[in-house]
Amino acid sequence: MKEVKIYSPATVANIVCGFDVLGMCLAEPCDVMHVKLLAEKKVVINNINNHQLPTDASQNTAGASILAMLDDINDEIGFEISIEKNIKPGSGIGSSAASAAGAVVAANHLLGNKFGNEDLVRYAMFGEKVASGVKHADNIAPCIYGGITLIRSIFPLDIVSIPAPQLYVTVVHPQIEVRTSDARQILRKEVLLKDAIRQWGNIAGLVAGFIKNDYELISRSLEDVIIEPVRSMLIPGFDEVKLKCKEAGALGGGISGSGPSIFMLSKNEATARSVEAVMINIYNKIELTYHTYVTTINDHGVKIINE
Ligand code: HSE
């Protein structure tokens, strides 16, 4: 039977001010997935490295996405999905989205690209619902489209790719798990008008900064007055990391997705490495284990390796 291997990348949702509407795709880390076409209507999940993820397809982000896709196909076919997770679940860099997006892109490839990218995002959102309790596309869309995406609306889907200048991304992942569902639960359901005005000014500023290659505007707009003040309490060292990384030359940054990872954007690699050194220094002091990555924006999203 036909089989494909893919790399499915990590993503940074929200990009600080754009809760649920902005996301960017990273060059690293990536999950490795093998997807095989079956001649029977079933979905088999194999977790290669042990992250204790569900193997019941309806409870697995890759499985739930593929089941949604199969609902739209009349043929007697199914898929076997093997997932080697390099993006740790609960890390805040789009682990669940990588599985969901990777599965649908691979399956679509095996089906001769029957579906368009927007359909794939729609299917993969079923996976995000399993993981976080709600459909959101700010990890899935950049994972499938690559680059930076604006999700103007999810019902109906309206995804816009945003061009951006060269940016380096430094990520620190303190090794605590923050479940997206919990990090959403603690958010206030109402916002003050003055905060909303500041937030949408920042979102518009950030998008304009990306399009105009205006690093100063990008830097000024990386501010979140609604979500970060609540969620940052879950992340040890957050305020110090943010302050010292900016002193080291970062344009700005904040919580990656729902955390606990923190990301910072820099204009060049040397600054991104200095920012990494600051993060390492802070987490060594706190005595919390962590991983860091210095990477770039990935313009192609999920990558098909071979058949
Ligand atoms: N926008 C989502 C959130 C992303 O912040 O809850 C989760 O990765």
Side-chain angles (χ1 to χ4, degrees), residues 60-108:
N60 180 288
T61 63
S65 310
I66 293 292
L67 286 171
M69 180 187 261
L70 285 175
D71 271 350
D72 285 348
I73 299 173
N74 289 326
D75 309 337
E76 274 303 302
I77 56 158
F79 295 94
E80 181 176 337
I81 306 164
S82 304
I83 312 171
E84 191 183 322
K85 278 223 97 46
N86 299 319
I87 311 166
K88 218 170 161 184
S91 56
I93 47 173
S95 179
S96 53
S99 300
V104 295
V105 170
N108 193 40

Side-chain angles (χ1 to χ4, degrees), residues 166-240:
Q166 167 94 305
L167 286 164
Y168 287 81
V169 191
T170 313
V171 179
V172 61
H173 171 207
Q175 303 285 292
I176 51 172
E177 186 178 348
V178 173
R179 295 167 63 91
T180 299
S181 48
D182 296 338
R184 294 182 80 90
Q185 204 73 48
I186 60 171
L187 299 175
R188 285 189 290 265
K189 302 291 172 280
E190 283 163 7
V191 296
L192 293 174
L193 183 60
K194 74 172 176 54
D195 291 339
I197 292 168
R198 195 160 177 99
Q199 196 86 355
W200 60 55
N202 280 326
I203 297 172
L206 188 58
V207 170
F210 287 142
I211 293 170
K212 293 173 66 168
N213 295 349
D214 184 337
Y215 289 108
E216 287 306 312
L217 180 56
I218 292 171
S219 179
R220 292 200 296 285
S221 306
L222 287 169
E223 178 195 54
D224 172 5
V225 296
I226 295 175
I227 310 295
E228 182 184 288
V230 182
R231 282 186 172 171
S232 58
M233 291 183 297
L234 302 174
I235 308 173
F238 178 81
D239 291 337
E240 191 181 357

